[in-house]
Amino acid sequence: MLTMSSDISSIQNAIQAGVDGYILKSETRINILFGIRRVLLGEEYFSDEVIKTMINSFREKSPITSLTKRELEILKLIAQGFLSKEIAQKLGLSISTVNTHRKNLIEKTGSLNSQSLVKYALDNNLIN
């Protein structure tokens, strides 16, 4: 596949579709020809930039590992049914700070709301 699309989603879709090679149009003419020859010989060829993109996508942190100790603490209290005001009092924080943590938790986990946040936490064994 010769393309300008260097995002991980395009690369993954192409691989799942069965491409034997993925070369960016920004590559040098020599690299493009080299890649085409490799594929014609029955081999696979993915340009260096494509390989770097794939490796970086694997290295990205998962939401679970990117949660801070404080976020996990607040997540457990949310799962226990505490309201932001109650969590703030319990931890000596402002309600605004608790709400910011709640918002960050929802964003980091890809949850829609507090209910799906708790489901995420249960599914990933973050809470008992």
Side-chain angles (χ1 to χ4, degrees):
M1 178 172 213
L2 180 61
T3 182
M4 292 185 68
S5 300
S6 61
D7 61 284
I8 190 64
S9 178
S10 297
I11 296 168
Q12 288 173 332
N13 289 338
I15 291 171
Q16 289 173 345
V19 300
D20 292 320
Y22 199 101
I23 306 169
L24 301 177
K25 289 183 179 181
S26 59
E27 289 284 331
T28 64
R29 185 173 186 233
I30 292 171
N31 285 348
I32 292 172
L33 292 174
F34 178 77
I36 291 171
R37 285 189 190 110
R38 294 267 309 263
V39 171
L40 287 174
L41 292 171
E43 299 175 24
E44 293 180 337
Y45 180 81
F46 295 87
S47 67
D48 289 343
E49 189 64 33
V50 171
I51 291 170
K52 285 179 191 173
T53 300
M54 291 167 43
I55 289 170
N56 287 336
S57 77
F58 290 123
R59 286 186 177 153
E60 290 179 3
K61 289 183 176 180
S62 70
I64 294 171
T65 59
S66 67
L67 297 181
T68 67
K69 185 177 178 180
R70 179 64 88 183
E71 287 171 337
L72 286 170
E73 186 177 22
I74 290 172
L75 177 56
K76 288 175 184 177
L77 293 170
I78 291 170
Q80 291 172 11
F82 289 100
L83 302 173
S84 292
K85 181 179 178 180
E86 296 167 321
I87 295 170
Q89 290 171 344
K90 201 172 199 51
L91 300 178
L93 302 171
S94 71
I95 296 172
S96 175
T97 299
V98 172
N99 286 334
T100 298
H101 283 299
R102 184 186 294 264
K103 181 179 84 55
N104 290 342
L105 283 163
I106 288 171
E107 286 178 13
K108 285 183 176 183
T109 61
S111 300
L112 301 173
N113 52 38
S114 294
Q115 183 179 358
S116 63
L117 176 61
V118 171
K119 181 181 179 332
Y120 177 91
L122 288 168
D123 291 346
N124 289 281
N125 297 314
L126 297 175
I127 56 176
N128 300 332

